[in-house]
Amino acid sequence: MPEFLSSENRFREVRIELQYLPCLEYFTCILQYDRICIDVEERYVKQSYRNRCNVLTTNKIDLLTVPVKGYDAASPTKDILIDYNQDWIRRHLGCFKSAYGKSPFYEYYAPDLIEIFQKRPAYLVDLNYDLLTFCLRLVGIKKDIRYNLSGVESEENSVVNDISVINNKKGQNSIKYYQPIPYYQTFGNDFVSNLSIVDLLFNMGPEAKSVLLRSCKSQ
């Protein structure tokens, strides 16, 4: 049985973009559909979750960005190249260790995460694909996830188009799939919601899926 079905008990399908170490809303979205179509030909949007994520460090929320090479305004996401002229991998991995090195599950998950970065893929979609696959496995989410091209229709012609709906430019009140459920975080006394999935994984480990299930906002 699917973990989430609509009130009509019908098959549900959504189309979303591929993101970099996505926020919790991305995963609560995945949990609420039977099939997830990840569009790798949709138009790349700069300064979005496609190449950035938020983590909680000692004093603040730190925005981590994967630098990309120049591209045309209409470039599809699948054609975006990563810029390795900047030493961003060292910064990202250093930030993870600084932020989560003392978290309960960092030592268990970090080696495999580091290995993904060490592959140094040329394209952003390849990095994001490997990271998403890694995170889904750790959380324990098993869904029908397909990497489709733009314009592909579902057989039932009822796919929900949520490209760019999960983004970093809207307030908490406009979040569609996620409702904050506090969990243990290494720093601070005030819970910070909807960070990158790595925050939840490093802090909660096998309990991450339970937190996500309780964080799903009813549709």
Side-chain angles (χ1 to χ4, degrees):
M1 289 291 292
E3 290 165 298
F4 277 86
L5 289 174
S6 67
S7 58
E8 295 85 4
N9 201 40
R10 59 183 174 81
F11 186 87
R12 305 187 71 214
E13 183 175 0
V14 67
R15 184 164 70 95
I16 54 178
E17 73 274 17
L18 195 54
Q19 298 186 357
Y20 174 66
L21 289 173
C23 65
L24 300 194
E25 186 186 10
Y26 193 91
F27 290 88
T28 55
C29 170
I30 289 175
L31 282 168
Q32 295 183 59
Y33 288 89
D34 304 295
R35 178 182 296 155
I36 297 87
C37 296
I38 296 182
D39 191 339
V40 297
E41 279 207 346
E42 52 92 29
R43 183 178 65 84
Y44 182 74
V45 178
K46 66 179 181 180
Q47 297 181 355
S48 70
Y49 281 148
R50 289 164 180 80
N51 72 322
R52 56 181 55 193
C53 71
N54 292 316
V55 298
L56 184 61
T57 59
T58 309
N59 301 314
K60 62 177 181 177
I61 297 176
D62 200 346
L63 175 65
L64 298 178
T65 301
V66 179
V68 299
K69 295 183 178 181
Y71 57 91
D72 296 330
S75 294
T77 297
K78 70 179 181 66
D79 291 343
I80 300 300
L81 290 163
I82 297 173
D83 184 1
Y84 286 102
N85 288 324
Q86 303 182 44
D87 194 13
W88 65 271
I89 292 181
R90 183 178 63 83
R91 163 163 157 69
H92 287 214
L93 295 182
C95 182
F96 294 150
K97 185 172 183 179
S98 174
Y100 304 112
K102 295 183 179 179
S103 296
F105 297 93
Y106 177 83
E107 65 178 296
Y108 298 103
Y109 298 156
D112 288 340
L113 182 65
I114 292 171
E115 185 176 333
I116 292 173
F117 284 96
Q118 290 175 337
K119 292 179 181 179
R120 295 171 63 91
Y123 289 91
L124 181 64
V125 290
D126 293 328
L127 174 66
N128 288 350
Y129 170 83
D130 285 347
L131 290 171
L132 179 60
T133 301
F134 168 74
C135 292
L136 288 170
R137 175 171 60 83
L138 290 186
V139 175
I141 295 177
K142 297 180 180 179
K143 290 284 184 173
D144 182 1
I145 298 179
R146 303 183 180 187
Y147 293 82
N148 286 13
L149 305 181
S150 296
V152 175
E153 299 288 342
S154 71
E155 293 181 0
E156 300 177 13
N157 200 32
S158 60
V159 60
V160 176
N161 184 359
D162 273 350
I163 293 290
S164 293
V165 166
I166 301 170
N167 64 69
N168 53 326
K169 299 179 181 179
K170 61 185 181 181
Q172 186 68 41
N173 292 334
S174 61
I175 290 179
K176 181 176 181 179
Y177 293 105
Y178 171 78
Q179 57 184 3
I181 298 294
Y183 57 86
Y184 167 80
Q185 290 177 323
T186 306
F187 297 113
N189 296 318
D190 297 324
F191 175 72
V192 180
S193 65
N194 210 24
L195 295 169
S196 167
I197 188 66
V198 296
D199 185 84
L200 179 61
L201 285 171
F202 286 144
N203 286 316
M204 299 300 292
E207 295 183 53
K209 185 176 182 180
S210 174
V211 174
L212 288 172
L213 288 169
R214 288 183 285 119
S215 300
C216 290
K217 182 185 291 186
S218 299
Q219 297 299 299

